[in-house]
Amino acid sequence: SQVVISNVGSDWISNSNTVYSGKFTIENNAGNIAFCAADSKNFYFWQFRSDKNTLKKHTSIDGKVSNFNTIQLSNLKPAGQQNTFQIAIVDGKILTYLNGVLVDITPINNNLPTGGGFGVRNGQSESFYLDEISVGKDFALSIDRTITVGESAVVDSDKTILNKVITYAEEQKASEEFNNVIADVQES
């Protein structure tokens, strides 16, 4: 495997609100994005696998690589198609967005920095292309709308239809006909 890290400055190592973003296209099997890199032996890397539709989360501590969690992805595009990503370190958490959707929240590992360099790590069967890479601190995440790091968003929605369905279900439950329904249906 090969590791390539771009150092963004030593003052970024201790920054607690760093955002890494860009686009990637997987050519073969996976794209591996390294971030919060203190050096070529200490960093996180997220392995987006198009062959398995997963995100394998790794740490490299003193050069020892460990896969600590794997999650299934429903929105990873197949090999040959471009994906967008944003990885934000916010308040002790790593927020991972893929194609505009928050797909994972991971607590930081206290053995690694919360900011630092960006790079790639690939094995022999993996290849991908990167485009429009940005590394910044305390800037806005661009998803479907702009969200400032640390801001919480409340979405108000029309619940008219939902309230009608709930009212109807309560009326049906209170009716005499409900007593003739199969027990499994009554419990649900």
Side-chain angles (χ1 to χ4, degrees):
S1 64
Q2 182 177 2
V3 178
V4 178
I5 301 293
S6 173
N7 191 1
V8 292
S10 60
D11 62 323
W12 287 61
I13 300 297
S14 62
N15 185 50
S16 62
N17 290 333
T18 303
V19 180
Y20 305 87
S21 63
K23 298 177 180 181
F24 67 91
T25 303
I26 298 170
E27 181 181 43
N28 291 307
N29 299 324
N32 302 315
I33 298 171
F35 60 96
C36 290
D39 52 42
S40 65
K41 292 184 177 189
N42 295 285
F43 54 88
Y44 293 91
F45 78 91
W46 280 185
Q47 183 180 59
F48 295 92
R49 295 202 62 94
S50 64
D51 57 343
K52 297 179 181 179
N53 287 327
T54 57
L55 168 58
K56 291 180 76 173
K57 301 184 292 182
H58 298 77
T59 56
S60 176
I61 299 174
D62 294 326
K64 183 179 181 216
V65 176
S66 175
N67 171 218
F68 66 91
N69 193 6
T70 301
I71 62 169
Q72 206 59 41
L73 295 172
S74 61
N75 66 331
L76 179 63
K77 295 178 184 175
Q81 293 185 24
Q82 191 173 68
N83 294 276
T84 61
F85 74 92
Q86 293 166 320
I87 300 169
I89 299 15
V90 180
D91 297 329
K93 295 178 186 81
I94 302 168
L95 308 175
T96 304
Y97 294 85
L98 179 64
N99 297 317
V101 176
L102 178 64
V103 295
D104 184 66
I105 300 174
T106 297
I108 62 164
N109 181 319
N110 291 329
N111 294 317
L112 289 171
T114 56
F118 174 87
V120 298
R121 180 188 188 278
N122 269 358
Q124 294 176 346
S125 66
E126 304 152 354
S127 61
F128 72 111
Y129 302 98
L130 284 170
D131 196 18
E132 298 180 28
I133 303 304
S134 297
V135 179
K137 50 185 184 177
D138 299 328
F139 68 88
L141 294 171
S142 175
I143 304 161
D144 290 334
R145 58 193 173 84
T146 300
I147 298 174
T148 303
V149 172
E151 173 189 0
S152 61
V154 177
V155 178
D156 192 26
S157 59
D158 183 1
K159 296 180 180 82
T160 305
I161 294 173
L162 175 62
N163 290 333
K164 287 180 182 180
V165 170
I166 292 171
T167 301
Y168 177 77
E170 289 171 345
E171 289 170 358
Q172 293 305 308
K173 184 176 179 183
S175 74
E176 185 65 33
E177 294 173 4
F178 184 76
N179 294 329
N180 298 328
V181 175
I182 301 170
D184 288 347
V185 174
Q186 288 179 350
E187 289 177 20
S188 68

